[in-house]
Amino acid sequence: MTSTHSVFADLTVSLGERSYPIIIGRHLLDQADFAHHIPGKRVAIVTNTIVAPLYLQRLTDMLEAAGKHCLAIVLADGEEEKNVDNLMRIFDALLENKCDRKTTLVALGGGVIGDMTGFAAATYMRGVPFVQIPTTLLAQVDSSVGGKTAINHPLGKNMIGAFYQPQSVLADTATLSTLPQRELSAGLAEVIKHGAIIDTEFFSWLEAHMDQLMARDDAALAHVIQRSCEIKADVVRQDERESGLRAILNFGHTFGHAIEAGMGYGEWLHGEAVGCGMVMAADLSHRLGYLSAQDKSRITALVKAAGLPVVAPDLGADRWLELMEVDKKNEGGEIKFILLKPLGQAIITGVPNELLKVTLAACVGQES
Ligand code: NAD
Ligand code: GLY
């Protein structure tokens, strides 16, 4: 049943009594040793039609061997499925199967399953335990850590949700072997984000190793997952509920969320929209005199090397503004942006609309 496994990192998100481990390793999914990170006797595994045939049986076997009873809830795949109907499907299955408040919800999948399962866990019977088993690079480097849970609303991305921390995060890097290349690139967007906002040494490392990452070199992937989780855990430790600092993790997201909603959820992958959004935010940072032309070009080049789009879709200037006006960071109607001042440091700020329009015109439909 078991394959040879190895643990690369065992980190902690330090939040007092709600602290939890992030275990990063290869072939963790079928290791009974890790079952103790999933509390309770009863476990509801939420996953989707793509991930279930790949990894559900293995996880169920491992948990049942550890004496747990498993229920599987298999949802349709896709960002467009991160909605209230699927949230209800989770609640329906939990209630039909008489799951009580000691039932642990396990998210087995990418960020869509993780965010939606987390929100279900935060609200089912006013809160049940929850574990993240991320199976995409994006989820392993970002979404499974930090307790942001949500579903989308047709009028805005992630607009309905809660802060709700998992009990543990188990990232099995072996699951990345089945990930489509486009999804690997999407995950790299969030990795680049971590370098750009906080760690220039990591950013330079990414420039030097992007080829290995694109070729799925094990050691290179393990390094970026570990470094990303360290950076994110440290930010979350300081500002769990985004009263300030945590907003910097949204670098590229003001533009990115507008692309996702404007194109229709699922058309551009979240990571693709964030990649292009970072190029746009770098352009805006440069126009404000915060970022050098050279560092702006480095960001564009790295995003491109990760196989991500660097040219924004032409939504029309008015529609762009309308979409960006629906963003959780905004205050008093002012659109807020995370900008680099300089590379490796991020600020949150409003910008004059005229300048924003110049960036939109420069980034839409043409290579910068
Ligand atoms: P996703 O969950 O849609 O997964 C991408 C695709 O890969 C899906 O088709 C999925 O079924 C498939 N898949 C998953 N694991 C696989 C595997 N091992 N092998 C083959 N296919 C696999 O998308 P994502 O990029 O993981 O996550 C994006 C979502 O995460 C967005 O909704 C975004 O808003 C959210 N997000 C949340 C946070 C947070 O802090 N909570 C942070 C970043 C992103
Ligand atoms: N991905 C943004 C955050 O977790 O805060």
Side-chain angles (χ1 to χ4, degrees):
M1 151 186 135
T2 55
S3 342
T4 310
H5 74 281
S6 48
V7 172
F8 307 131
D10 184 344
L11 312 173
T12 302
V13 183
S14 298
L15 291 169
E17 61 187 18
R18 289 175 299 107
S19 298
Y20 55 92
I22 307 169
I23 318 265
I24 304 163
R26 255 184 102 69
H27 297 301
L28 304 183
L29 263 189
D30 42 14
Q31 294 298 322
D33 307 5
F34 295 99
H36 71 276
H37 288 293
I38 301 173
K41 282 256 166 246
R42 191 128 195 243
V43 175
I45 304 169
V46 183
T47 186
N48 71 23
T49 50
I50 303 291
V51 179
L54 296 168
Y55 303 112
L56 179 60
Q57 192 63 50
R58 247 190 259 181
L59 178 62
T60 307
D61 288 350
M62 181 268 264
L63 292 175
E64 291 193 338
K68 297 178 193 288
H69 300 287
C70 297
L71 161 72
I73 304 172
V74 182
L75 303 174
D77 176 50
E79 182 71 38
E80 65 283 10
E81 301 290 341
K82 190 177 163 182
N83 58 29
V84 72
D85 294 340
N86 280 309
L87 184 69
M88 271 302 162
R89 281 188 187 102
I90 300 175
F91 295 144
D92 290 348
L94 294 174
L95 289 166
E96 280 159 12
N97 288 279
K98 302 195 169 37
C99 292
D100 61 20
R101 335 176 94 143
K102 294 226 162 124
T103 303
T104 299
L105 262 60
V106 173
L108 175 68
V112 167
I113 286 293
D115 280 14
M116 203 156 41
T117 306
F119 188 44
T123 48
Y124 183 67
M125 295 194 175
R126 301 200 181 95
V128 294
F130 155 54
V131 168
Q132 288 270 18
I133 304 193
T135 61
T136 62
L137 181 62
L138 185 138
Q140 296 186 355
V141 298
D142 191 347
S143 64
S144 64
V145 173
K148 275 193 181 174
T149 75
I151 54 170
N152 298 328
H153 186 282
L155 293 180
K157 170 95 179 150
N158 292 336
M159 279 294 148
I160 321 292
F163 287 100
Y164 194 67
Q165 300 294 341
Q167 305 271 316
S168 60
V169 178
L170 301 178
D172 184 342
T173 59
T175 60
L176 301 181
S177 64
T178 52
L179 199 63
Q181 193 67 19
R182 195 178 159 198
E183 301 291 349
L184 187 89
S185 292
L188 290 171
E190 306 280 14
V191 174
I192 294 170
K193 174 190 81 179
H194 289 135
I197 58 171
I198 276 185
D199 186 346
T200 46
E201 203 179 305
F202 185 46
F203 189 91
S204 302
W205 188 94
L206 292 172
E207 291 178 312
H209 294 84
M210 192 48 80
D211 290 350
Q212 282 106 304
L213 290 165
M214 290 293 275
R216 298 176 199 230
D217 177 84
D218 279 348
L221 282 173
H223 176 65
V224 299
I225 296 165
Q226 174 169 352
R227 186 67 195 124
S228 289
C229 287
E230 283 168 356
I231 290 172
K232 184 153 185 191
D234 193 44
V235 171
V236 170
R237 173 186 64 77
Q238 295 175 66
D239 180 24
E240 181 186 7
R241 290 183 167 245
E242 199 166 306
S243 47
L245 175 72
R246 184 167 178 170
I248 67 171
L249 296 175
N250 285 305
F251 176 55
H253 286 57
T254 310
F255 292 109
H257 284 169
I259 294 174
E260 285 188 86
M263 297 299 287
Y265 296 123
E267 194 61 37
W268 279 50
L269 301 181
H270 174 72
E272 292 173 338
V274 168
C276 188
M278 290 191 292
V279 170
M280 300 175 83
D283 182 274
L284 198 47
S285 307
H286 174 60
R287 284 176 203 281
L288 281 159
Y290 299 163
L291 187 72
S292 68
Q294 192 200 358
D295 284 344
K296 177 189 140 179
S297 301
R298 285 173 73 193
I299 290 171
T300 306
L302 192 55
V303 169
K304 206 170 183 178
L308 294 160
V310 293
V311 178
D314 190 357
L315 304 173
D318 290 344
R319 180 79 179 123
W320 267 104
L321 293 179
E322 182 183 68
L323 287 161
M324 289 191 290
E325 277 159 9
V326 187
D327 188 287
K328 293 186 291 308
K329 291 187 297 303
N330 297 346
E331 280 170 24
E334 187 186 31
I335 305 172
K336 295 281 189 184
F337 292 88
I338 309 302
L339 300 180
L340 298 179
K341 192 181 181 182
L343 183 65
Q345 286 178 44
I347 56 161
I348 178 164
T349 181
V351 299
N353 254 7
E354 294 65 44
L355 200 61
L356 179 54
K357 285 181 178 163
V358 177
T359 283
L360 287 173
C363 295
V364 161
Q366 59 184 41
E367 299 271 341
S368 50

